[in-house]
Amino acid sequence: MNIQTLDQMSLEALEHARAAIASYPYPRLETYYTFADKTIIPTFLTRPISRSQVEVRQHFHTVRGSVDAFPAFGASMSMMRSRFARDVWDEGHGGIHVLPRVGLSDAQRIQDVRASAPALVGVALGIHEEEAFLGELFEQPNLAFVSIDIAHGANAAVLPVLEKIRAQGVESGVILGNVGSVEGFAYAYWLMKLSGFKHFVIKVGVGPGSVCTTRINTGVGVGQLSLLEEIWQFRNHAGYTDAQIISDGGVNSSGDFVKALTRAEGVMMGKFFASGSFEDEVLIKKDGHLEGVLLFGMASSLVTEKRNYIEGSSQTLRAFHKDAREAVSRLREGLQSAMTYVNATNLNEFRGNVRFALNSAAAITEAGVH
C-alpha cells in the first residue's frame, strides 16, 4: 500500500467517524466507572429454569465461518501458549485463546497453532507481518481469529497489514484493538470497513489490565465499564452492528466478567486465568506443588529489551486456579447464576434486561468479605 492510498483511506475513515460522532445524540461522559463501582440490580424470574438451562454461548464470525462459543478469550501474553489454549477450550465447552507473538519466531507461532489443536485459537499479529507467514497461518484448520496486537488500535498504521490479510481472501474473524473512546471505536470501525471486511471485532480497553501501567505512565485511559457502556450505545445507535466488541482488561472476578458481557460480545482476560495451564517458566513450585504464578505485562521490561516506553509491570500471584478449565467453570457458573437474577435464558435477553446501580464506597466494601 503506497503512502497516497494510505492517506486517502485514513482521511475517508476520519470523515466517516466524525460524521457518526456528530450525529450521536447522547451526552458524552465525563466520569467513567470501573467494574467495582457498579453492580447489576436483581429483578425476578418468571420461568422455572435452572442455572444449567440458560444458554451462555455467543455467536462469532471467524476466519472460516461462524461458531458459537463461550465468550471468554485468553489474552495474548507470552506465558499463555498452546497448553493454555487447549485447556481454556476445554473440548469445545470453554473459550478461545489468542496466541502471543512477542519474542517468538514465525515458525514458533505456527507451531503453537498446530500444538493447540483441536482447540480453536486466535493469533496476535503485528503491523509488519510477512505475506508468506500469513499464507501459512491461514492454512491452519483450527485458526478462528487473528488479532492486530498494538497498544493504540485506532491507528492508520494498521492499514497495510489489513490489506495483506484481505489478500488472503479473509473477510471475517479479524480483531482490531485496542481502542479507548467512542472516537477511537468509530475510526477503527471505518478502517476495517474500508479495508473490505464484512464482520470483525474491535477490542476495547486502554490501561485496565492488572499489569498494565499505561494510565500511570501516560495519564491516558478511562474506567472500563463506563467505556463499554458508552461504546455499546454508540455502536447500536450508529448501526455499526457488523462490529462485535471484546472487552480487554480489568477482570478480577467472575462478577467482573459478567458485567463486561452486558456491553460486549466477548471478554479477554489474563490475570483471571492464572493457573497451572501457564508456561512452566512462570509457575512457582515447591516440592512439585504450585505455590504461585508470575504475571507480567507484554510491554514490561521482562519482555521487551527496550528501556523506553515501558507500560507494563509484573506481580507474583498467590491466588490462582488449578488450570484454565477450572477458571472457565467459575466464569460459566457466575454468568449462569447472574442470568437467572434478571429473567434471562440467553445472552441477548441478559443484555436487554440488565440495569446497573452505582455503588457507594460502603456498598463496595459490603460486597466483599467483611
Side-chain angles (χ1 to χ4, degrees), residues 231-248:
I231 288 177
W232 180 271
Q233 185 176 55
F234 171 80
R235 181 194 70 173
N236 294 342
H237 177 268
Y240 291 175
T241 51
D242 44 352
Q244 293 183 298
I245 295 169
I246 287 180
S247 172
D248 183 13

Side-chain angles (χ1 to χ4, degrees), residues 31-306:
T31 302
Y32 288 77
Y33 295 102
T34 69
F35 295 125
D37 293 317
K38 292 186 175 184
T39 45
I40 296 168
I41 300 171
T43 55
F44 41 74
L45 183 61
T46 62
R47 290 156 286 185
I49 58 171
S50 69
R51 295 169 184 172
S52 62
Q53 291 176 298
V54 301
E55 177 57 74
V56 295
R57 292 177 298 174
Q58 174 69 48
H59 189 73
F60 293 103
H61 298 277
T62 74
V63 297
R64 286 186 174 79
S66 299
V67 65
D68 292 331
F70 187 67
F73 288 78
S76 52
M77 304 173 78
S78 63
M79 73 286 294
M80 301 160 68
R81 294 179 64 181
S82 56
R83 177 170 62 193
F84 176 85
R86 295 191 302 272
D87 286 352
V88 82
W89 176 246
D90 193 16
E91 300 179 344
H93 302 293
I96 296 175
H97 180 44
V98 179
L99 292 161
R101 68 178 178 88
V102 175
L104 301 174
S105 68
D106 289 351
Q108 287 174 310
R109 295 161 72 191
I110 295 293
Q111 180 55 34
D112 272 358
V113 177
R114 292 171 178 165
S116 299
L120 295 183
V121 296
V123 171
L125 300 180
I127 61 174
H128 300 298
E129 302 291 355
E130 297 291 337
E131 292 177 5
F133 167 73
L134 293 174
E136 187 174 6
L137 177 64
F138 285 111
E139 291 175 354
Q140 306 309 308
N142 61 320
L143 181 72
F145 295 98
V146 291
S147 178
I148 313 302
D149 183 31
I150 61 176
H152 186 25
N155 188 335
V158 304
L159 287 170
V161 73
L162 292 179
E163 182 185 41
K164 292 178 182 178
I165 294 169
R166 280 293 291 122
Q168 299 291 329
V170 175
E171 295 181 330
S172 304
V174 179
I175 303 170
L176 177 60
N178 285 24
V179 303
S181 66
V182 164
E183 289 86 352
F185 181 86
Y187 185 65
Y189 174 87
W190 281 105
L191 291 178
M192 297 296 289
K193 288 289 286 186
L194 295 174
S195 295
F197 294 98
K198 290 184 177 179
H199 301 281
F200 47 91
V201 180
I202 296 178
K203 194 146 55 80
V204 173
V206 172
S210 63
V211 286
C212 179
T213 58
T214 296
R215 295 184 193 173
I216 296 171
N217 290 356
T218 70
V220 174
V222 299
Q224 184 72 359
L225 180 54
S226 292
L227 175 62
L228 291 171
E229 291 179 301
E230 189 172 38
I231 288 177
W232 180 271
Q233 185 176 55
F234 171 80
R235 181 194 70 173
N236 294 342
H237 177 268
Y240 291 175
T241 51
D242 44 352
Q244 293 183 298
I245 295 169
I246 287 180
S247 172
D248 183 13
V251 171
N252 291 300
S253 66
S254 58
D256 293 344
F257 168 77
V258 168
K259 295 174 199 177
L261 269 183
T262 67
R263 299 297 180 261
E265 280 82 17
V267 183
M268 181 170 282
M269 295 158 282
K271 177 183 177 180
F272 182 84
F273 282 128
S275 65
S277 297
F278 278 25
E279 293 298 289
D280 289 339
E281 58 262 31
V282 300
L283 302 182
I284 301 169
K285 295 184 177 181
K286 183 177 181 181
D287 299 326
H289 298 288
L290 185 61
E291 291 195 337
V293 178
L294 176 63
L295 187 72
F296 47 85
M298 299 314 295
S300 70
S301 58
L302 291 177
V303 178
T304 178
E305 295 181 356
K306 297 186 301 181

